[in-house]
Amino acid sequence: MDKISQDLERAVAATVPDRAIFDYLIVGAGFAGSVLAERLANELGMRVLIVDKRPHIGGNAYDRYDDHGVLIHPYGPHIFHTNSEDIFEYLSKFTQWRPYQHRVLASVDGQLVPMPINLDTINKLYGLNLTSFEVEKFFESVAEKKDEIKTSEDVVVNKVGRELYNKFFRGYTRKQWALDPSELDASVTARVPTRTNRDDRYFADKFQAMPLHGYTRMFEKMLAHPNIKIMVNTDYREIVDIIPFRHMIYTGPVDAFFDNKYGKLPYRSLRFEHVNVPKEQFQAVGTVNYPNDYAYTRISEFKHITGQEHASTSVVYEYPCAEGDPYYPVPRPENAELYRKYEAEAENTPNVTFVGRLATYKYYNMDQVVGQALATFRKLQASHEAGRGLGSAALAAPVTA
Ligand code: FAD
Ligand code: UDP
């Protein structure tokens, strides 16, 4: 039996107070929490209370109009992309889309060149006129072949050699993570491909689009159900002992849930500097990366991403930092080991289900979090349908965390 079924099984046996008014307390109104709230209310008729300590729904994907009337992403640029038709279709119930293919330039050696590295990047950088076939040979000639690809350094030098690694990846990664790429799992830089053709899109997924009226509108539609009550500006600890519920879904940082009892899990944070510029366009593409200069890693211009037309433009500079909101889990072996302790603890907490990027300590994109939340819902649904979780007295008693 999987963990959720076991949780629910045990929960049935637990004493459920008659006064429980919510079937679920969901902590966090980002993708993980909102998808589960929507599914549980719409599909199973569950009564859901969703709380977030921030003053808004949407989690890190929240967007809003700034003081100048430009639609911005306060927590950094969020571009939706997925290969999953199911996930795209699911979200399409709550939004129309604007097709958008993200493009990124990297500022290297005084030039702006396409990132991911492609045929044009190499030709522009070195003043060459290679064909796709020739650039493939070029990569082979400079690659430092590794028997085993373990780290983020291995991934890149194995494909494009040390010089391009130094120009495009080493400095950016050291800024972003305060770690050398050799200290990070291969999965981090493996997010960025290398191409021998002229494709200059940042992502290659089948579906690439932005919610036509923004993410926040999409979240509002997801949560618009009479069974869903929303409480913002509320840390769940403020209400967990006074509002009765049966089962908790937790999408915040997993270590914080357990009072950091095994030590703090490292998360990387960012300081966002938002600037409005009184001209129509600031830069040629959605994002420009600065791997080697400045304290920031990249500048993103929202109008490229959202398609909004406006006389002025708003951009965001991302300054990586250690302190602040936890934005990125840090993928490296010692952190995975520490996370496993929290994961074991989570498995022994039968009345709480942990979902999302921070609660499962996974460097997930939005679509992956939606996929994880939908899969979690299917497990909960199966338990309900099997009679283990049906009815008002079937789930767990309130936690006293
Ligand atoms: P979150 O969105 O973090 O939601 C968790 C919520 O829980 C938060 O709102 C938090 O306030 C709340 N919470 C935490 N603790 C408590 C508590 N004690 N009480 C109450 N509430 C609490 N993904 C993409 O697919 N494309 C992109 O282009 C992209 N760009 C990104 C850029 C940046 C700078 C960052 C940081 C991430 C980016 N992502 C992108 C990833 C994306 O943000 C995440 O995959 C997604 O938002 C995770 O959703 P979530 O629900 O797991 O977590
Ligand atoms: N990266 C890099 N140079 C770049 C772009 C990315 O070194 O120009 C590395 C860096 O380590 C970064 C990782 O690849 O953290 C993943 O990049 P991505 O753009 O996916 O990061 P995110 O959008 O999640 O911040």
Side-chain angles (χ1 to χ4, degrees):
M1 198 188 295
D2 61 39
K3 177 183 176 287
I4 291 172
S5 310
Q6 280 172 2
D7 289 357
L8 292 172
E9 192 94 305
R10 266 179 270 180
V12 176
T15 311
V16 178
D18 289 331
R19 65 197 178 93
I21 50 167
F22 291 106
D23 298 306
Y24 285 86
L25 169 64
I26 300 186
V27 179
F31 268 104
S34 298
V35 167
L36 276 157
E38 183 281 322
R39 292 285 75 199
L40 288 164
N42 270 311
E43 287 292 316
L44 301 182
M46 294 285 139
R47 294 157 304 173
V48 176
L49 172 63
I50 185 164
V51 301
D52 203 299
K53 62 181 182 185
R54 289 172 171 167
H56 56 73
I57 59 172
N60 285 337
Y62 166 71
D63 55 13
R64 68 171 176 87
Y65 288 87
D66 68 12
D67 293 345
H68 306 272
V70 180
L71 183 60
I72 62 161
H73 300 172
Y75 305 102
H78 277 70
I79 296 109
F80 188 79
H81 55 101
T82 188
N83 281 315
S84 162
E85 190 158 357
D86 286 350
I87 290 169
F88 193 69
E89 258 181 32
Y90 169 71
L91 291 176
S92 301
K93 293 201 252 188
F94 314 106
T95 187
Q96 294 170 276
W97 299 95
R98 166 185 181 258
Y100 172 69
Q101 315 254 348
H102 194 51
R103 287 187 166 76
V104 175
L105 294 172
S107 170
V108 171
D109 294 346
Q111 299 198 75
L112 291 178
V113 292
M115 184 70 185
I117 295 173
N118 70 9
L119 176 60
D120 289 326
T121 311
I122 300 302
N123 281 338
K124 196 164 179 196
L125 199 64
Y126 294 118
L128 298 170
N129 199 11
L130 303 180
T131 62
S132 282
F133 179 74
E134 288 164 343
V135 86
E136 202 171 321
K137 294 276 167 230
F138 169 77
F139 287 148
E140 276 167 24
S141 72
V142 292
E144 269 179 33
K145 283 293 167 197
K146 302 271 165 194
D147 292 336
E148 205 187 347
I149 308 287
K150 278 172 105 171
T151 72
S152 269
E153 176 183 302
D154 297 340
V155 172
V156 183
V157 297
N158 179 65
K159 262 198 242 161
V160 299
R162 200 153 291 271
E163 183 168 308
L164 290 168
Y165 162 76
N166 282 334
K167 286 185 194 296
F168 288 87
F169 286 90
R170 186 158 184 264
Y172 188 111
T173 301
R174 290 174 73 100
K175 255 196 275 187
Q176 171 72 12
W177 302 96
L179 290 169
D180 191 78
S182 60
E183 299 171 295
L184 279 165
D185 285 0
S187 59
V188 176
T189 53
R191 289 167 61 88
V192 185
T194 303
R195 302 190 180 120
T196 53
N197 59 19
R198 305 187 63 192
D199 185 352
D200 65 344
R201 297 167 309 155
Y202 202 64
F203 308 110
D205 302 48
K206 195 164 157 194
F207 303 95
Q208 303 188 38
M210 294 294 295
L212 187 60
H213 302 292
Y215 289 100
T216 303
R217 284 282 287 279
M218 182 178 80
F219 280 99
E220 281 165 3
K221 284 209 169 135
M222 264 187 193
L223 297 176
H225 188 287
N227 282 14
I228 300 177
K229 309 294 173 201
I230 305 170
M231 229 174 164
V232 294
N233 281 322
T234 308
D235 190 309
Y236 82 97
R237 287 172 193 257
E238 294 172 63
I239 54 103
V240 72
D241 292 326
I242 51 176
I243 299 185
F245 61 91
R246 299 176 202 282
H247 189 80
M248 181 189 289
I249 291 172
Y250 179 82
T251 75
V254 63
D255 53 344
F257 184 87
F258 294 110
D259 297 320
N260 303 317
K261 65 188 280 191
Y262 299 115
K264 279 184 97 161
L265 272 168
Y267 296 91
R268 193 69 176 151
S269 191
L270 293 169
R271 180 172 66 80
F272 298 104
E273 194 178 306
H274 287 272
V275 180
N276 179 266
V277 186
K279 59 180 181 182
E280 255 194 86
Q281 189 175 300
F282 177 82
Q283 60 190 27
V285 289
T287 297
V288 177
N289 287 356
Y290 293 86
N292 305 312
D293 313 307
Y294 312 113
Y296 48 83
T297 48
R298 58 188 180 189
I299 306 177
S300 298
E301 182 173 9
F302 294 107
K303 282 179 14 183
H304 288 287
I305 299 169
T306 60
Q308 187 184 4
E309 288 180 14
H310 196 282
S312 76
T313 191
S314 293
V315 300
V316 65
Y317 294 67
E318 292 176 47
Y319 293 86
C321 48
E323 299 304 319
D325 278 0
Y327 290 125
Y328 292 85
V330 184
R332 58 194 307 226
E334 48 268 65
N335 299 350
E337 201 180 309
L338 178 55
Y339 167 64
R340 274 194 290 275
K341 291 188 185 163
Y342 284 111
E343 189 183 34
E345 197 77 22
E347 276 165 11
N348 285 325
T349 309
N351 47 354
V352 184
T353 302
F354 294 79
V355 197
R357 173 152 147 149
L358 303 172
T360 60
Y361 203 67
K362 299 279 183 312
Y363 187 176
Y364 275 165
N365 294 326
M366 294 181 280
D367 64 319
Q368 294 171 299
V369 171
V370 173
Q372 190 192 40
L374 291 174
T376 304
F377 169 72
R378 285 190 290 272
K379 288 183 180 172
L380 292 168
Q381 183 181 34
S383 296
H384 281 279
E385 281 172 3
R388 291 194 292 272
L390 276 183
S392 60
L395 291 171
V399 285
T400 49

